[in-house]
Amino acid sequence: QNWTRGMSYCLHSESHLDTGPIYVRENGKLHVVNQGAGGIQNVTPKTRPFRLFSRGFSVELCMNREDDRARRQRTDHFIFTYTKEGNLRYSAKSLFSLVLGYISDNVDHIDSLIGFPEQIAEKLFSAAEARQKFTEPVTGLRALQKFTEAYGSLVLCSLCLRNRYLVISEKLEEIKSFRELTCLDLSCCKLGDEHELLEHLTKEALSSVKRLLLKDNSLSDAGLRRMTAPVRVLKKGLENLLVLDLSCNPKITDVGIGYLLSFKKLNCLDISETGLKDVNAVIKRIQMQIGLVHSKVPLKEFDHSNCKTEGWAEQTVLQWEQAVMEAIKPQDTLRSRTAALHFYGKTHRIEEVVKCTLVEAETKASGNLQFYKEKVQNCHLSLQKEVAGSHELKNNKKRALAEQEGERTSKQKHLCLTVEDWDLLNTY
């Protein structure tokens, strides 16, 4: 009894501490210490909630305070609509939408999408595109490569970069990541023979290109030699090319046209406004060796309306162009100042960039060097006519080869495999 009274006195003296109920086992029974009365009650202990923290303690759940996007109020989990009466109504988004949004925010951390369903991948690409994830410098390229590796032509099957040299220079690696393109328009970009993108055209990733437009790109015979080296020697590269536009490249001569004869599947060719010397000989050579006929009128295949950007990444290319235009906006103020100086009689003037005009009507009829392959209709021909035509075709080829050997010089005979060709082929 003295021991229990001492404990009760001790606890009573420190009553300011809320330690909760204390139980004492004595003679096989459990007793609870009553601090208010200072004694021990031999009763069944009442269940009393155990308080881990004091009454004034509170907890606030925070997620990634360093990220500014996490500080804002999270309302993207709900869909807000208005009723006819004008009342605000909200409903929770589906779990699929929430997961899709989370993955699109972290799309650059995806390991691989190979084998992933195309329908879900398209929605994921659209969600990431809406967040402009593919415009980011490093993470955008990594995320875009994951999609192009898995889906190829679905991401982009046709790409039009006509007169968009700034987009090519800023997003060259992203453009090189596109695979299985069937149409590529690089007209009026002034790339030249040594541009990295032209070298990329010879890679296996772009062997599916069937329509290639290279109008007004400052190309020469050396550039054509590099482009055709894999086809001439390894039968790789642009071997599936059907339409080729090389117009408005004055540095391309008769020698460069000889490299194009390796494109056996070519159906349409445009070499207008090039630096040809013997036009009649070139026309005859093209007709005899690859079966293309000189067209008297401009062909619709070269009106630059058939090649458009098509695929999942269509809006992504537009975002790239908008970003480039935003970057060069300060030049508008400089242009206005220049106009003001010119108005007040100042001689200082900055020349504007001359853009390429894609108007085929401006091409003279005499300078129109477009070729096409005639459609052979043998459905109603007899067997004898077919045999006679094949013999005649063989004789024409023999004559063409004989004339070609007579026209070639000793220098042109060794143009098939040069040192530059071997250097280019060694990169494969």
Side-chain angles (χ1 to χ4, degrees), residues 17-139:
L17 297 176
D18 187 12
T19 58
I22 298 177
Y23 299 94
V24 177
R25 182 176 296 277
E26 183 178 2
N27 298 328
K29 295 182 180 180
L30 188 64
H31 304 273
V32 60
V33 178
N34 189 354
Q35 298 182 9
I40 301 177
Q41 296 180 352
N42 188 6
V43 295
T44 304
K46 296 181 180 180
T47 59
R48 184 176 177 182
F50 180 72
R51 189 180 301 277
L52 182 61
F53 302 99
S54 60
R55 296 180 182 273
F57 185 82
S58 62
V59 178
E60 180 181 1
L61 181 60
C62 300
M63 299 177 59
N64 195 6
R65 281 188 173 273
E66 297 180 357
D67 191 357
D68 295 335
R69 293 176 299 179
R71 294 182 181 181
R72 65 186 180 207
Q73 186 178 3
R74 296 304 301 266
T75 59
D76 55 347
H77 291 176
F78 303 94
I79 301 176
F80 294 91
T81 57
Y82 286 92
T83 60
K84 296 181 179 180
E85 294 78 11
N87 299 326
L88 181 63
R89 178 179 295 177
Y90 67 93
S91 58
K93 290 185 177 180
S94 63
L95 181 60
F96 175 78
S97 300
L98 297 179
V99 173
L100 191 68
Y102 177 79
I103 298 177
S104 60
D105 287 332
N106 303 275
V107 67
D108 56 302
H109 297 291
I110 296 177
D111 293 333
S112 177
L113 288 171
I114 298 177
F116 197 70
E118 298 175 359
Q119 296 81 358
I120 308 300
E122 183 178 2
K123 295 181 179 180
L124 179 61
F125 189 93
S126 301
E129 189 178 55
R131 291 165 169 79
Q132 297 187 355
K133 301 295 293 185
F134 302 113
T135 59
E136 299 176 0
V138 180
T139 58

Side-chain angles (χ1 to χ4, degrees), residues 186-206:
L186 299 174
S187 302
C188 307
C189 290
K190 306 289 184 180
L191 298 180
D193 296 331
E194 304 295 332
H195 199 275
E196 187 177 351
L197 184 56
L198 290 180
E199 182 180 355
H200 181 65
L201 290 176
T202 62
K203 304 297 182 181
E204 188 177 357
L206 292 182

Side-chain angles (χ1 to χ4, degrees), residues 163-164 167 316-326:
N163 203 11
R164 297 179 181 178
V167 178
T316 302
V317 178
L318 294 178
Q319 292 176 0
W320 293 346
E321 186 177 6
Q322 292 176 359
V324 171
M325 297 303 295
E326 290 291 335

